[in-house]
Amino acid sequence: MIKPLGERVVIEVSEGDVKTASGIVLPDTAKEKPQKGTVVAVGTGKLLENGERAAMEVKAGDVVVFSKYSGSEVKVDDKEYLIVRESDILAVL
């Protein structure tokens, strides 16, 4: 399992639809990059200037929307994850 550091969050990205509403199957090159996923793990929080840690606003299990081209993609045990900063998360669904 991945344990993120600081204010980082590990997200398992939800794959987008492979079919359009009219039933057309989209190839990988035509798909949009997904922006939704499930939080798998969270870091300890951002280190503040006074030495304390800010509490994380998301927790494992939350379904979140994140910036389209944010984070770093990693592959662990044949699963792909995205590691993003908490500030790249736009909303919790």
Side-chain angles (χ1 to χ4, degrees):
M1 179 44 95
I2 302 172
K3 174 136 177 60
L5 301 176
E7 62 173 319
R8 289 180 176 77
V9 178
V10 179
I11 298 174
E12 187 172 357
V13 179
S14 303
E15 289 300 321
D17 294 336
V18 292
K19 275 189 182 180
T20 62
S22 59
I24 298 172
V25 177
L26 297 174
D28 287 340
T29 55
K31 289 183 200 173
E32 282 192 27
K33 191 171 171 115
Q35 290 181 266
K36 188 167 81 170
T38 304
V39 175
V40 176
V42 295
T44 54
K46 183 176 183 176
L47 185 61
L48 303 175
E49 290 183 20
N50 62 6
E52 295 180 12
R53 294 230 177 240
M56 299 290 279
E57 293 187 44
V58 295
K59 61 186 179 310
D62 285 350
V63 177
V64 295
V65 176
F66 51 87
S67 298
K68 190 174 270 193
Y69 296 104
S70 62
S72 300
E73 295 175 354
V74 294
K75 192 171 184 178
V76 177
D77 298 331
D78 294 329
K79 279 193 171 185
E80 292 191 16
Y81 298 101
L82 186 68
I83 300 176
V84 300
R85 291 186 180 272
E86 185 181 33
S87 59
D88 291 332
I89 296 175
L90 306 174
V92 177
L93 300 177

